[in-house]
Amino acid sequence: MFGFERICVMFTHSSKPPGHKTCLRPEFASQKVVTHQAFLRSSVALRRSIRKHPTCVLASERPPPWAITFDIRERETDWTDENKARLVSLFAGQELGCGMEGVQRRMQDLVQVVPDFGRKVHTMKPGLLASLLRDTSLIAQRAARLRELLPNTNISAMAAKLPEILLQEADETVSQVQQLKHQLGTDNVDQLVEDYPSLLDAELVEEALHELTRLMPNSDPKRTLLRDPSVVLRVERGPKRLGPHPDS
């Protein structure tokens, strides 16, 4: 029927190696070809029925793994300062019981009084930011009072480094400045507290002076601290100044 004695048929779905040809006798060739064509038609019909079935989804139609949940994509998130600030603001808003719009509105009020705050939100803890935003009018009054009492100090820069300073009364901060002057034996501390507001902690200053005396017994610890106030950063310890342990 086909004009030759044997017909070679290539089966694409057989267990034979790719490219393998099976030679059939002429009397069986037509039957095998018809059977193979029927198999292909049934396979196409099956795939079409699967596509129409609401509970069946082909692998090519499924979303990629990284689009399934946020947790997987979070690993690839670029944690810029802007993204960190947005996350801090989100949790602060939850603590305040307001949305992001409420947080942004309060932040605008706060930045008008303390402009440097806008660049430091990403470094704050949500609880601290919530405390500062809870009553922005009170924070503004304290900042204005500090400017009156410490005219030679950039209150905005100092508060951005130590935001907790605006959570206490201005008179208490001024009292701490007076204590620092007494400890260091000088009245010229305006720039010092602006750059290192942690020096307003009298206990920390005493620890720094003690450490300098131990390390350099032949030097004046007060003069050394005035020359290099960053020493206080190397003696800070404990949860009071460094915060709770991250594993606690």
Side-chain angles (χ1 to χ4, degrees):
M1 179 177 65
F2 292 93
F4 46 85
E5 294 183 357
R6 293 180 182 274
I7 297 176
C8 294
V9 181
M10 184 182 296
F11 294 96
T12 57
H13 296 281
S14 67
S15 59
K16 302 293 184 179
H20 177 79
K21 296 181 179 180
T22 301
C23 293
L24 305 175
R25 293 171 60 91
E27 57 268 26
F28 300 114
S30 60
Q31 181 181 354
K32 283 288 185 180
V33 170
V34 171
T35 304
H36 183 58
Q37 291 176 347
F39 169 76
L40 292 178
R41 285 196 298 270
S42 63
S43 298
V44 172
L46 178 61
R47 289 177 62 86
R48 288 176 179 173
S49 65
I50 291 177
R51 286 179 181 273
K52 294 180 180 180
H53 201 284
T55 60
C56 297
V57 180
L58 296 177
S60 59
E61 298 175 350
R62 296 171 185 166
W66 54 85
I68 296 176
T69 63
F70 175 77
D71 292 337
I72 296 177
R73 294 179 61 88
E74 186 178 5
R75 301 174 185 174
E76 302 176 3
T77 302
D78 186 11
W79 285 109
T80 61
D81 292 347
E82 182 180 355
N83 287 336
K84 293 177 184 177
R86 188 179 295 111
L87 188 62
V88 172
S89 300
L90 177 64
F91 282 101
Q94 292 179 356
E95 187 168 337
L96 291 170
C98 63
M100 285 295 293
E101 293 183 359
V103 172
Q104 292 175 358
R105 187 166 52 251
R106 298 184 187 207
M107 275 296 302
Q108 290 176 356
D109 296 338
L110 189 61
V111 170
Q112 289 180 358
V113 184
V114 189
D116 293 281
F117 262 0
R119 300 190 297 270
K120 294 294 184 179
V121 175
H122 67 281
T123 64
M124 297 183 189
K125 295 182 179 180
L128 175 59
L129 180 61
S131 299
L132 292 168
L133 297 180
R134 186 166 283 110
D135 190 348
T136 54
S137 60
L138 178 60
I139 298 298
Q141 293 174 8
R142 290 173 177 171
R145 178 62 175 164
L146 283 174
R147 289 190 175 94
E148 294 177 2
L149 299 175
L150 303 172
N152 298 323
T153 301
N154 186 335
I155 302 302
S156 177
M158 180 177 67
K161 296 183 181 72
L162 188 66
E164 294 87 348
I165 201 171
L166 293 178
L167 296 179
Q168 62 186 22
E169 296 298 332
D171 292 338
E172 183 178 351
T173 302
V174 174
S175 177
Q176 292 174 331
V177 173
Q178 297 298 328
Q179 177 68 18
L180 178 63
K181 292 179 179 180
H182 175 72
Q183 287 178 306
L184 299 182
T186 179
D187 292 335
N188 188 20
V189 297
D190 296 326
Q191 188 65 40
L192 196 64
V193 296
E194 178 181 326
D195 296 335
Y196 297 92
S198 56
L199 286 171
L200 294 177
D201 185 344
E203 184 179 351
L204 176 61
V205 174
E206 288 297 331
E207 292 178 6
L209 293 175
H210 177 76
E211 188 69 9
L212 289 172
T213 301
R214 183 183 68 84
L215 296 175
M216 296 179 288
N218 298 325
S219 300
D220 184 355
K222 296 180 181 180
R223 186 171 294 182
T224 302
L225 185 58
L226 287 170
R227 186 171 58 251
D228 183 16
S230 65
V231 171
V232 296
L233 303 178
R234 297 192 287 270
V235 299
E236 287 183 317
R237 58 176 64 90
K240 175 183 176 181
R241 303 185 182 99
L242 301 180
H245 194 278
D247 295 332
S248 61

